[in-house]
Amino acid sequence: MRDAGPGKAPIPGTARWGFVIAAICAGSDVAVSVHRLPSESIVTAVVLGFALLTLAAIPPAWRGVVWARNTVVSTQALTAVTGVPAFVLPAVPPFDVIVSAARLVVALVVAVLLLTAHPIT
């Protein structure tokens, strides 16, 4: 790895896996959100915005830019939090609850991979 400049940190291999997982999640969020946009849901638009922000922040984060890495972690966490109402609202299909739980776990895995590789600075 090359030396990190000001505001940059070297990226270890575990963090790169976190970026790959975040990119896959953001890509699937874009696909699902574009499919659901005609339903005029505000949550769908918010998830789409977070997914696009994640995809935009991954290339600089991959190069070691700390604010971009923190943006990826934050947007993944906020996207996962949008699924929390599935646990408390009545008449939510069990499949949607399982998907929401899985999304929360994946967001936690991304955060652990990215933040334990090198702490927030």
Side-chain angles (χ1 to χ4, degrees):
M1 282 182 250
R2 59 184 186 187
D3 290 335
K8 295 184 177 183
I11 304 298
T14 56
R16 293 186 190 271
W17 277 108
F19 290 130
V20 169
I21 295 169
I24 292 168
C25 287
S28 68
D29 289 342
V30 168
V32 170
S33 296
V34 167
H35 176 68
R36 291 185 178 177
L37 267 180
S39 69
E40 299 179 7
S41 171
I42 292 175
V43 174
T44 301
V46 168
V47 169
L48 179 61
F50 285 149
L52 294 175
L53 187 56
T54 298
L55 291 174
I58 287 176
W62 189 278
R63 290 189 302 270
V65 178
V66 176
W67 66 262
R69 190 246 355 243
N70 295 340
T71 300
V72 171
V73 172
S74 301
T75 55
Q76 287 295 292
L78 289 170
T79 300
V81 169
T82 62
V84 169
F87 301 115
V88 294
L89 292 176
V92 175
F95 180 74
D96 290 347
V97 174
I98 292 170
V99 169
S100 295
R103 187 65 177 93
L104 282 168
V105 169
V106 170
L108 181 64
V109 167
V110 168
V112 167
L113 287 174
L114 295 181
L115 297 179
T116 58
H118 46 278
I120 296 176
T121 56

